Amino acid sequence: MKINPVYGKEIKLRVRSVRFAVTILLFNLALIAIALFGFEIFFNVNINSRIDYSGAVVVYFILISLEAAMVALLVPVFTAGSIAGEREKQTLEILLTTVLKPMQIVIGKLMSSISMILLLVFSSLPVISIVFTIGGVNMTNLLQFVLVIIVISLYVGSIGMCASALLKKAVPATVLSFGMLIIICVVTVIAVFVVNTSANMYYYNTQNTSGVYPDVTWVGYFLLLNPAFTVLEMIISQYTSQNIISELASGLNGTMPSIFMDYWFECSIVVQLVLTFIFLMLAARFLDPLRRKEKEKSSKKRKKKKKKSGDVDD
Amino acid sequence: MVEIENLYKHYGKFVALDHLDLSIEKGELFGFVGPNGAGKTTTMRIISGLLKADGGQVQIAGVDALKDSQSLKRKIGYMPDFFGVYDNLKAIEYMEFYASIYGIVGKKAKDMCMELMDLVNLSDKAEFYVDSLSRGMKQRLCLARSLVHNPELLILDEPASGLDPRARFEMKGILRNLHDMGKTIVISSHILSELAEMCTTIGIIDKGNMLTKGSVEDIMRRLNTSNPLKIHVIENIESAVRIIKENPKVENLSIDGMDITVSFNGSEEDEAELLGNLVNNGIKVVSYVRETGNLEEVFMMVTAKKEVLS
């Protein structure tokens, strides 16, 4: 099997470092500590003289929520620095004169960045599986978690790659990645609240409660983009079998087609994978020197800078 | 091998390449020389597929470089003026990484990489980490890297910049070897003398225009025609001045004792004819020479006075 050369090189560089082995060790030690602490709280601290075995499931949900959050926070750091880092190290230009296509470079970088994170996640599966000793969580739940983690890694990673290909420096690229992540995870939720509140205010103040609530379920579809909401919906449906999407739709004064009500998780996964593809295409486009539109201002700035330093681009 | 026609590139209002024409034959070691900001790097980046041209045509080994960048990249090996290396990679791993990009892996890749490292005198550094190598060694490693896919054309942007004299000497030797092996090489520098020693042909570029192109000797000869003629006679200076003034190629002259300095806008044949006239008219000429400039003067003259080459 032919391995993407960029992926092969990156993995060699990353796995070779002692820091990586230490990171895996510390990460799993932290998870074990949290799990043991959770079990201690639920089973050994007998406040009302009975043991609540459902506490094991709560520990499981805390652990997977932590892991999902870790993925969402670490992947942009790894990916946003990947291409911008090559640019800063002045190694990108050489790569671009080889037969590697920009998309191959983007895929190689993305896969190497997220495979490090996924290695952390997979190494923690035995710790998470502690919950199987008590029950309450089945294998399907665990596989669903693994699937959502992979999709989040790809999705958030593609955002990081896009920022990394667009900007020249790793730090601004990381800031842009987190900015986009905040828009996707926080602004979509705020948008739902704002639109819903505005609709209710319109009903009470303009229609004087005499008409019908305006149907604003359309804003709920924005949550399909939100990986945090995908994890939340997955956890709630695993834990309570409650359909929060139908509650969301009724809260937005309307209803949604049954495909979204019954398969929200699957729909959000598909939407996020489609967006991943779009972000990767954009990243490859930004990376292609012959397709990237040069900004006059930035070129002028660069020339001025080089002239000042006595090292003019000929 | 390289055919550039009417190449145009601008950054806003700044014209980097002003309808540049250039032709480089197969097997040439072509020196691309010009002052900072002349358009050397811009030209090299365009023909390496790293920069989009705003107009013109570029053919590299029969490939339309502006339209078919994938085919182009198999034909060229490029070494930029400034480049970085990957930390924590050994020199041999660095080479193998680039070989893997061209689908060369395993033992075949290792053997080929060692061969190339031997070519650039780095075979004993194969197991050294790249970031521990000196600048000169890194330059040579990068040169070896650019050869992994056996390109027909090597494009080297200021490969000797920042190197000490010994490293420059080694680099020149390697480039001569590559030229002897039949590679076509385009190499840029803003120091004419550096290129003159090893290049078969040089081209002088300034403000995006190719001012002149040819062998070093040819360019020197052409440029010398704009230098004054120094004539020393031992008698009859008035007659000598009269004869010289009658020559239509003479623009002006000055007299200092028995020395006559003549601005003579003519070829070597015209020079010989003038000398013949003087001698045939009984003028005793003891010295008759066209002043020659050194390479740096030539460079300054070409970039300052474009008209001397037209």
Side-chain angles (χ1 to χ4, degrees):
Chain A
M1 193 180 78
K2 196 184 168 192
I3 297 174
N4 181 312
V6 176
Y7 174 77
K9 185 260 298 174
E10 291 285 321
I11 290 291
K12 186 183 275 183
L13 285 178
R14 288 175 198 252
V15 175
R16 181 177 274 174
S17 69
V18 178
R19 197 175 61 180
F20 182 67
V22 173
T23 307
I24 291 183
L25 177 71
L26 293 179
F27 175 70
N28 281 296
L29 284 178
L31 281 186
I32 290 167
I34 292 167
L36 291 178
F37 180 71
F39 280 119
E40 181 67 18
I41 293 288
F42 285 110
F43 301 130
N44 293 340
V45 180
N46 299 322
I47 297 165
N48 52 8
S49 71
R50 69 184 176 86
I51 294 172
D52 180 9
Y53 283 98
S54 67
V57 183
V58 175
V59 172
Y60 166 77
F61 288 128
I62 289 171
L63 288 178
I64 64 167
S65 302
L66 279 175
E67 289 213 24
M70 180 206 72
V71 167
L73 292 175
L74 281 184
V75 168
V77 175
F78 277 88
T79 51
S82 58
I83 291 175
E86 290 262 357
R87 220 177 247 128
E88 282 180 323
K89 279 191 291 182
Q90 297 181 309
T91 48
L92 183 64
E93 208 158 70
I94 294 175
L95 269 188
L96 290 172
T97 56
T98 66
V99 288
L100 277 181
K101 290 178 181 162
M103 187 52 115
Q104 283 177 289
I105 298 175
V106 169
I107 297 284
K109 287 281 179 185
L110 175 68
M111 296 316 290
S112 62
S113 297
I114 67 169
S115 59
M116 292 294 102
I117 305 294
L118 291 179
L119 193 56
L120 275 181
V121 171
F122 281 98
S123 73
S124 71
L125 286 181
V127 179
I128 290 174
S129 302
I130 283 177
V131 76
F132 287 126
T133 59
I134 311 293
V137 178
N138 57 37
M139 190 54 86
T140 313
N141 296 150
L142 194 64
L143 288 176
Q144 211 173 15
F145 162 69
V146 171
L147 175 68
V148 85
I149 285 292
I150 291 172
V151 173
I152 290 176
S153 300
L154 289 169
Y155 181 41
V156 178
S158 70
I159 293 170
M161 295 307 298
C162 198
S164 191
L166 180 65
L167 298 176
K168 288 186 171 62
K169 303 270 181 185
V171 174
T174 309
V175 172
L176 178 63
S177 305
F178 278 113
M180 290 170 77
L181 196 60
I182 288 169
I183 289 172
I184 288 169
C185 292
V186 180
V187 176
T188 48
V189 175
I190 293 172
V192 170
F193 277 110
V194 169
V195 171
N196 193 32
T197 309
S198 304
N200 289 343
M201 283 170 69
Y202 174 78
Y203 172 74
Y204 285 112
N205 298 337
T206 311
Q207 297 188 341
N208 292 321
T209 68
S210 57
V212 290
Y213 277 108
D215 182 354
V216 287
T217 45
W218 56 268
V219 76
Y221 293 110
F222 283 108
L223 293 172
L224 285 167
L225 315 178
N226 188 334
F229 187 77
T230 307
V231 174
L232 181 73
E233 194 273 338
M234 180 193 78
I235 289 175
I236 291 174
S237 62
Q238 283 182 359
Y239 188 51
T240 65
S241 305
Q242 185 186 356
N243 191 334
I244 62 162
I245 304 305
S246 66
E247 286 179 23
L248 173 76
S250 64
L252 295 172
N253 316 319
T255 183
M256 284 182 176
S258 58
I259 186 167
F260 290 108
M261 304 269 249
D262 299 335
Y263 301 103
W264 180 270
F265 178 80
E266 290 80 355
C267 289
S268 62
I269 293 289
V270 170
V271 168
Q272 286 165 28
L273 285 177
V274 169
L275 282 173
T276 299
F277 180 71
I278 292 170
F279 281 125
L280 291 180
M281 292 287 281
L282 279 174
R285 194 181 176 86
F286 292 142
L287 193 57
D288 191 339
L290 300 182
R291 295 177 79 180
R292 185 177 181 150
K293 201 176 177 183
E294 284 185 58
K295 290 179 186 168
E296 284 185 13
K297 279 184 183 174
S298 63
S299 293
K300 278 181 184 173
K301 271 185 192 171
R302 197 169 61 231
K303 286 203 165 288
K304 273 185 184 174
K305 224 182 203 178
K306 286 193 173 179
K307 268 184 184 167
K308 270 185 186 174
S309 65
D311 179 27
V312 182
D313 179 14
D314 298 315
Chain B
M1 175 60 75
V2 180
E3 292 293 336
I4 297 175
E5 277 178 37
N6 226 8
L7 192 61
Y8 182 76
K9 177 73 189 172
H10 69 96
Y11 300 102
K13 287 178 184 168
F14 176 77
V15 177
L17 294 179
D18 190 8
H19 304 285
L20 181 85
D21 292 318
L22 174 65
S23 174
I24 300 169
E25 297 298 318
K26 190 174 167 59
E28 268 187 39
L29 205 172
F30 180 79
F32 208 23
V33 69
N36 289 336
K40 305 184 296 288
T41 299
T42 301
T43 308
M44 289 183 138
R45 286 168 62 84
I46 288 174
I47 64 177
S48 303
L50 282 173
L51 193 62
K52 198 176 176 180
D54 294 323
Q57 291 192 329
V58 179
Q59 292 273 332
I60 309 277
V63 172
D64 187 335
L66 304 184
K67 287 183 182 157
D68 188 0
S69 66
Q70 273 309 106
S71 302
L72 168 75
K73 287 169 181 177
R74 292 204 174 271
K75 305 272 184 188
I76 61 153
Y78 174 69
M79 181 170 153
D81 47 355
F82 295 103
F83 62 91
V85 290
Y86 298 107
D87 300 338
N88 299 327
L89 267 192
K90 292 175 182 174
I92 185 71
E93 290 171 341
Y94 177 83
M95 292 289 293
E96 284 174 339
F97 163 56
Y98 286 99
S100 71
I101 289 174
Y102 293 92
I104 309 161
V105 290
K107 191 177 179 306
K108 190 180 169 193
K110 190 154 196 153
D111 292 346
M112 185 203 64
C113 292
M114 282 308 295
E115 215 171 279
L116 288 172
M117 290 185 72
D118 193 36
L119 184 75
V120 296
N121 309 325
L122 281 177
S123 49
D124 56 331
K125 305 286 181 194
E127 294 300 319
F128 281 55
Y129 281 97
V130 180
D131 54 350
S132 70
L133 300 179
S134 69
R135 181 170 170 80
M137 288 174 187
K138 282 179 190 167
Q139 296 275 64
R140 281 185 275 144
L141 183 67
C142 190
L143 180 60
R145 186 273 314 156
S146 69
L147 291 163
V148 289
H149 57 298
N150 194 20
E152 292 179 45
L153 174 69
L154 273 177
I155 300 168
L156 314 175
D157 195 358
E158 309 235 6
S161 68
L163 299 186
D164 61 41
R166 181 167 181 79
R168 277 169 190 260
F169 181 78
E170 282 180 334
M171 182 60 90
K172 279 179 196 170
I174 293 164
L175 292 177
R176 279 197 202 100
N177 277 347
L178 287 169
H179 176 243
D180 292 342
M181 288 161 67
K183 296 277 179 209
T184 308
I185 303 171
V186 179
I187 175 172
S188 77
S189 176
H190 58 273
I191 306 166
L192 180 57
S193 54
E194 188 177 277
L195 297 184
E197 292 168 22
M198 60 177 165
C199 293
T200 54
T201 318
I202 58 167
I204 300 181
I205 185 174
D206 191 25
K207 293 176 184 164
N209 285 298
M210 185 58 73
L211 303 184
T212 186
K213 178 184 171 272
S215 67
V216 179
E217 298 76 26
D218 185 40
I219 288 176
M220 290 285 280
R221 192 174 45 77
R222 275 192 279 156
L223 285 168
N224 281 340
T225 58
S226 63
N227 285 343
L229 276 174
K230 291 273 190 184
I231 305 168
H232 183 73
V233 295
I234 51 172
E235 58 182 32
N236 285 343
I237 189 156
E238 293 81 10
S239 304
V241 168
R242 182 178 46 78
I243 292 164
I244 292 167
K245 275 184 176 174
E246 282 170 1
N247 192 301
K249 303 284 181 185
V250 172
E251 290 173 341
N252 57 59
L253 57 81
S254 61
I255 305 158
D256 179 16
M258 299 304 274
D259 289 320
I260 309 166
T261 305
V262 184
S263 285
F264 189 79
N265 187 17
S267 64
E268 284 180 327
E269 279 186 10
D270 297 326
E271 283 176 38
E273 195 182 315
L274 176 63
L275 178 62
N277 272 346
L278 290 169
V279 174
N280 291 339
N281 283 286
I283 309 294
K284 292 183 176 171
V285 181
V286 290
S287 168
Y288 184 93
V289 65
R290 177 76 85 166
E291 243 184 19
T292 55
N294 63 30
L295 283 170
E296 299 315 317
E297 283 172 353
V298 168
F299 180 74
M300 295 303 289
M301 189 188 295
V302 172
T303 51
K305 291 184 182 179
K306 292 179 194 174
E307 65 271 19
V308 297
L309 299 154
S310 56

